[in-house]
Amino acid sequence: MYNQFKSISLSHRNAPLAIREQLALNEAEAKGIMLRLKDFFDVSDVLAVSTCNRTEIYYSSASDWNEDIIKLLLIEKGISDTESFINYFEKFSEGEAAVQHLFQVATGLQSQVVGDMQIPNQIKHAYQWSADLNMAGPFLHRLLHTIFFANKRVAQETFFRDGAASVSYAAVELLEGLTPNPKVLIVGLGEIGTDVCRNLAQKRDVEVTLINRTKSKAEKLGTELGFRVADFFDIEAEISKADIIVSSIARDEPFFTKEMMVRLRGMSFKYFIDLSVPRSVSPEVEEIPGVVLYTIDSIRSKADEALHRRLDAVPHVREIIDEAVLEFNDWSREMIVSPTIQKLKGALEQIRKEELTRFTKNLSDSELEKVERITTSMMQKILKLPVLQLKAACKRGEAETLIDVLNDLFNLEKEKADH
């Protein structure tokens, strides 16, 4: 099963946002793709992962369906020109590479913002979708739980998850501490404004309104995340209602000025978070009583400090992943010998029962119970050494030879057929 694990990956490493957003999957689409895979291909242990920066599909199969799965995904998303998209995908056809890649994705090593704290939850959601469809077998169950345990170690033993390492997440972390249950107005939905929105979608007790010059873009994002959308021409009324205004407008001179704040006098206390370069909020707005401004420089400084701590922790994170992968590899190899162990147990149990039937006809119930215990204990002790030798052979990569020897010695294939 280990060597049959494969995956395809579309991520920020190889594909621009304009490509990635066309192939993003919501829960219904991810489940639909998994069901399609089950219908069209001989696959098991299917996992569909979709975040703002990546869309990936993992599966187990004796055949390499990577190219076909990419084409199916593109067609399901309404893209007919499949050839022009294929080169954006990474393809993992070897089990070791696919497992290592999933570990790195799930721990945040492959994230656009290294150590992204949202990734473990997104992997858990994907795992739940797979389990809902009964498409997570023993291999995937064990793999994901090994990953979750490794993630727990990363959080406990390193600084890899400390602080907000992206400007957008640092901005969200900042606004959370400014006022309880804030009304937040997001103005400008470029890449950084959209990232702020997606980070805010994970938060509770925050009321969010979106404004963008192209209202259709705001409506699309608002529908996706469940946020209210307002018209750009009503921006001053929306400022009056908001507690916090996050601006990422692209323009050459400030949009939010002291004069605008004067026009809105009588308004409540306001916080401005300016994520634009050049600045979209004039420093003079702080001359108005009750207005506080945070600039991208202070936020970026905080994010950079957290990012450096995370990068320093990367070697330790890789050590944790290597240990977890080694443990998972040992378990996977033992899965290879599990059928032989079960057949050997079955063969010995059959011999035990046949001999008991021959020689215990005249025994009392108490005598029969004692003989049962003795013979069962003997069988377990006889089995112990072959089982230990099989597991040791797994770690040495020599299991196949020992499996053949046991099959010949005990005629296990015949035993199975007769059974």
Side-chain angles (χ1 to χ4, degrees):
M1 182 64 73
Y2 187 95
N3 290 330
Q4 295 182 2
F5 195 58
K6 302 170 179 66
S7 71
I8 61 166
S9 171
L10 178 89
S11 74
H12 63 278
R13 301 202 305 175
N14 297 313
L17 178 61
I19 297 296
R20 300 198 308 270
E21 64 186 2
Q22 293 183 62
L23 295 169
L25 302 171
N26 57 33
E27 179 178 350
E29 290 172 328
K31 288 183 175 179
I33 285 290
M34 288 194 285
L35 290 172
R36 286 285 193 183
L37 294 181
K38 190 175 182 180
D39 290 339
F40 288 119
F41 310 113
D42 181 19
V43 297
S44 61
D45 293 294
V46 181
L47 187 76
V49 176
S50 188
T51 73
C52 55
N53 286 320
R54 67 180 60 250
T55 297
E56 299 184 332
I57 294 174
Y58 298 83
Y59 67 98
S60 291
S61 176
S63 302
D64 186 345
W65 299 110
N66 281 347
E67 294 273 348
D68 301 272
I69 289 173
I70 291 170
K71 290 177 181 177
L72 175 64
L73 172 62
L74 291 168
I75 291 169
E76 287 291 312
K77 294 297 289 183
I79 297 169
S80 56
D81 182 18
T82 58
E83 292 302 320
S84 63
F85 279 76
I86 285 178
N87 289 335
Y88 289 113
F89 284 84
E90 287 183 273
K91 297 177 278 290
F92 301 90
S93 299
E94 300 294 328
E96 185 175 348
V99 166
Q100 185 71 228
H101 180 71
L102 182 54
F103 263 95
Q104 293 190 10
V105 168
T107 51
L109 281 176
Q110 294 281 352
S111 300
Q112 194 167 33
V113 178
V114 66
D116 189 343
M117 291 181 288
Q118 295 181 52
I119 292 297
N121 286 332
Q122 290 163 333
I123 296 293
K124 286 179 182 178
H125 290 153
Y127 177 38
Q128 185 61 56
W129 300 341
S130 181
D132 289 345
L133 298 175
N134 294 318
M135 299 185 76
F139 178 88
L140 192 62
H141 283 305
R142 182 66 179 235
L143 175 58
L144 267 297
H145 283 283
T146 304
I147 287 172
F148 297 150
F149 182 73
N151 254 322
K152 186 176 180 180
R153 285 191 60 194
V154 168
Q156 291 175 340
E157 299 175 23
T158 75
F159 294 106
F160 196 58
R161 296 270 158 69
D162 285 10
S166 73
V167 169
S168 58
Y169 201 90
V172 170
E173 195 174 73
L174 169 64
L175 70 83
E176 279 190 296
L178 295 177
T179 183
N181 307 318
K183 294 180 180 178
V184 180
L185 177 64
I186 310 289
V187 184
L189 297 176
E191 187 164 354
I192 193 167
T194 299
D195 282 347
V196 170
C197 290
R198 294 194 185 283
N199 287 320
L200 274 174
Q202 312 295 321
K203 309 297 180 181
R204 297 180 179 179
D205 303 323
V206 179
E207 184 181 322
V208 180
T209 299
L210 309 182
I211 287 183
N212 195 60
R213 285 192 183 276
T214 305
K215 191 175 181 181
S216 59
K217 186 173 184 179
E219 289 174 335
K220 181 180 179 182
L221 189 62
T223 299
E224 178 188 343
L225 303 178
F227 293 160
R228 175 175 168 265
V229 175
D231 197 284
F232 193 86
F233 297 107
D234 295 328
I235 192 164
E236 292 193 5
E238 295 299 329
I239 291 170
S240 296
K241 289 187 273 187
D243 301 309
I244 302 169
I245 299 93
V246 180
S247 175
S248 58
I249 300 173
R251 55 183 286 135
D252 295 330
E253 56 187 23
F255 176 81
F256 298 95
T257 62
K258 180 180 178 181
E259 290 72 28
M260 180 187 287
M261 297 303 103
V262 169
R263 286 200 303 273
L264 297 173
R265 59 180 172 271
M267 63 186 183
S268 59
F269 208 93
K270 302 292 177 191
Y271 296 96
F272 279 89
I273 300 176
D274 187 1
L275 304 179
S276 306
V277 178
R279 288 184 287 187
S280 60
V281 183
S282 170
E284 295 176 348
V285 300
E286 285 198 290
E287 296 176 9
I288 305 297
V291 176
V292 177
L293 171 63
Y294 294 90
T295 66
I296 193 169
D297 284 348
S298 59
I299 295 169
R300 183 175 283 152
S301 175
K302 182 180 179 182
D304 287 346
E305 183 182 337
L307 182 58
H308 287 311
R309 286 202 305 273
R310 292 187 184 191
L311 291 174
D312 289 342
V314 166
H316 192 178
V317 174
R318 292 193 182 278
E319 288 177 11
I320 291 171
I321 290 175
D322 289 343
E323 290 171 13
V325 169
L326 185 62
E327 176 195 336
F328 181 72
N329 288 351
D330 289 344
W331 174 84
S332 298
R333 292 191 186 104
E334 288 185 12
M335 287 287 286
I336 298 171
V337 300
S338 181
T340 300
I341 292 172
Q342 294 306 315
K343 285 188 285 185
L344 181 57
K345 286 181 178 179
L348 294 180
E349 177 66 11
Q350 184 67 24
I351 293 170
R352 188 184 76 86
K353 286 182 175 178
E354 288 174 355
E355 295 306 299
L356 283 178
T357 301
R358 287 176 59 194
F359 296 108
T360 60
K361 293 178 181 177
N362 297 321
L363 296 181
S364 66
D365 289 345
S366 61
E367 290 172 329
L368 181 59
E369 183 181 348
K370 187 178 294 185
V371 172
E372 279 276 356
R373 288 202 308 271
I374 293 170
T375 54
T376 298
S377 177
M378 289 175 62
M379 190 186 80
Q380 289 172 347
K381 289 183 177 180
I382 291 169
L383 273 170
K384 184 177 180 180
L385 185 58
V387 169
L388 290 175
Q389 292 289 356
L390 271 172
K391 291 183 176 180
C394 281
K395 294 183 178 180
R396 299 193 304 269
E398 301 169 359
E400 290 185 6
T401 301
L402 193 50
I403 287 172
D404 290 340
V405 169
L406 288 171
N407 278 331
D408 291 341
L409 280 175
F410 293 93
N411 204 10
L412 297 181
E413 295 302 324
K414 181 179 183 300
E415 291 288 340
K416 180 182 178 183
D418 289 347
H419 179 71

